Amino acid sequence: MSFNPKDNDFGKMISAGRDFLKSNWEILERYVSDQRKGIEMPPFEKPYQKDAFLIKLPDFKDIADFKKKSLFEAIENRKSHRKYDGKPLRLEELSFLLWTTQGIRNVTPKATFRTVPSAGARHPFETYLYVINVEGLEEAVYRYLPLEHSLILHRKDRYLREEIIHATLEQEFVGQSSVVFIWTAVPYRTEWRYGPASHKVILLDAGHVCQNLYLACEAIEAGTCAVAAYSQELMDRFLGVDGQDEMVVYLAPVGKISKG
């Protein structure tokens, strides 16, 4: 399709969006990154108060369900699910889903190596969970701490469900799940190394994360549906992030499904 980007403001937006899709890696030949300047590397995860109560996630490796399916079956059956059967998610299952999407396999002084790929092993995401129906957890928003494989309480409010449905442009199924995965980007983790070439690869990394969630859900008789249609302002407000140094980039509700 051809168009004249000067026709109107929407044409200019489409043109800018298409430019975003292109690689601009050559720009790094002229760019001196903060890493090269010797500026301290940003932390692998957002800090928290050291006296905070952490909810240690249980070991999931004895869950029989996810061992029953082959990778072929998980890929073959992968689909988006917007209807859930109302059964609670077990804490061990949530632990498994978090490990598959941001779990850490190895830590070095300069990088974390996780279950998903990331440009330069920068892993610019924070994982928040709006928990609705998970055994052992009260309804609230939590943040995942991948280094500790634990949760920390982030926010409680009686109107969370109404807020997130409104923030996702009235998509009711989001509030009917057991848990909503919400990923924010902390751009500087990638910018520290790659500067102006960071932003395309950050969103590519988000796709890796969510695809792992899809496949992991298939392994435990659960379903998910990636959501990119939301109000940026309202979702950032839902989590209390500033929309500049941290912003919501993707979310996915997860719930148990009945398979015939």
Side-chain angles (χ1 to χ4, degrees):
M1 176 184 176
S2 61
F3 67 96
N4 185 349
K6 296 181 180 180
D7 284 346
N8 52 50
D9 289 341
F10 292 115
K12 293 175 182 177
M13 292 170 67
I14 291 173
S15 181
R18 290 185 178 186
D19 286 341
F20 174 79
L21 291 175
K22 301 173 184 177
S23 175
N24 62 347
W25 218 249
E26 295 88 348
I27 199 171
L28 296 184
E29 296 175 3
R30 310 190 307 272
Y31 179 77
V32 180
S33 68
D34 282 357
Q35 181 181 17
R36 290 173 61 189
K37 292 175 184 176
I39 295 174
E40 184 179 0
M41 180 182 67
F44 298 138
E45 66 183 15
K46 284 176 61 175
Y48 57 91
Q49 292 183 343
K50 292 307 177 184
D51 61 349
F53 176 70
L54 303 189
I55 303 168
K56 187 67 178 175
L57 290 164
D59 186 4
F60 57 82
K61 293 179 182 178
D62 291 331
I63 297 176
D65 296 352
F66 79 84
K67 297 180 180 179
K68 293 179 181 177
K69 282 194 175 179
S70 68
L71 179 60
F72 173 82
E73 290 174 305
I75 293 174
E76 184 181 43
N77 294 325
R78 186 223 62 81
K79 62 184 289 188
S80 293
H81 292 274
R82 295 175 177 83
K83 293 184 178 180
Y84 312 107
D85 65 13
K87 295 178 182 177
L89 210 63
R90 289 181 286 155
L91 195 56
E92 292 85 356
E93 293 172 322
L94 182 60
S95 175
F96 170 63
L97 297 179
L98 286 165
W99 179 80
T100 59
T101 52
Q102 281 289 273
I104 294 178
R105 296 179 301 174
N106 188 31
V107 180
T108 72
K110 294 186 177 181
T112 58
F113 298 93
R114 308 196 187 192
T115 54
V116 291
S118 176
R122 299 309 306 145
H123 296 287
F125 304 115
E126 292 287 331
T127 303
Y128 295 83
L129 302 170
Y130 169 37
V131 169
I132 302 170
N133 190 15
V134 176
E135 292 178 353
L137 294 176
E138 62 178 327
E139 183 174 347
V141 178
Y142 301 82
R143 180 162 63 92
Y144 177 51
L145 305 176
L147 290 171
E148 298 83 358
H149 194 57
S150 298
L151 299 178
I152 186 170
L153 181 64
H154 181 69
R155 182 189 174 206
K156 289 174 60 177
D157 191 285
R158 63 182 296 186
Y159 299 111
L160 289 173
R161 193 173 311 202
E162 291 85 350
E163 282 185 40
I164 200 167
I165 290 172
H166 185 50
T168 53
L169 309 180
E170 311 304 332
Q171 296 183 78
E172 296 280 347
F173 78 94
V174 174
Q176 296 167 356
S177 61
S178 292
V179 59
V180 184
F181 280 65
I182 308 168
W183 295 289
T184 64
V186 180
Y188 184 64
R189 285 188 203 154
T190 306
E191 292 166 345
W192 175 78
R193 177 170 294 168
Y194 297 125
S198 300
H199 309 103
K200 175 182 176 178
V201 296
I202 288 173
L203 291 187
L204 290 172
D205 287 351
H208 306 322
V209 172
C210 195
Q211 180 67 359
N212 263 27
L213 181 65
Y214 267 93
L215 298 180
C217 282
E218 282 294 327
I220 60 168
E221 301 296 320
T224 188
C225 178
V227 175
Y230 57 87
S231 163
Q232 189 69 53
E233 179 184 358
L234 294 180
M235 279 306 308
D236 288 346
R237 188 188 305 168
F238 181 80
L239 294 182
V241 298
D242 64 10
Q244 183 64 34
D245 293 320
E246 182 181 7
M247 69 283 294
V248 174
V249 293
Y250 217 4
L251 59 147
V254 172
K256 286 290 190 174
I257 55 174
S258 299
K259 291 200 171 183

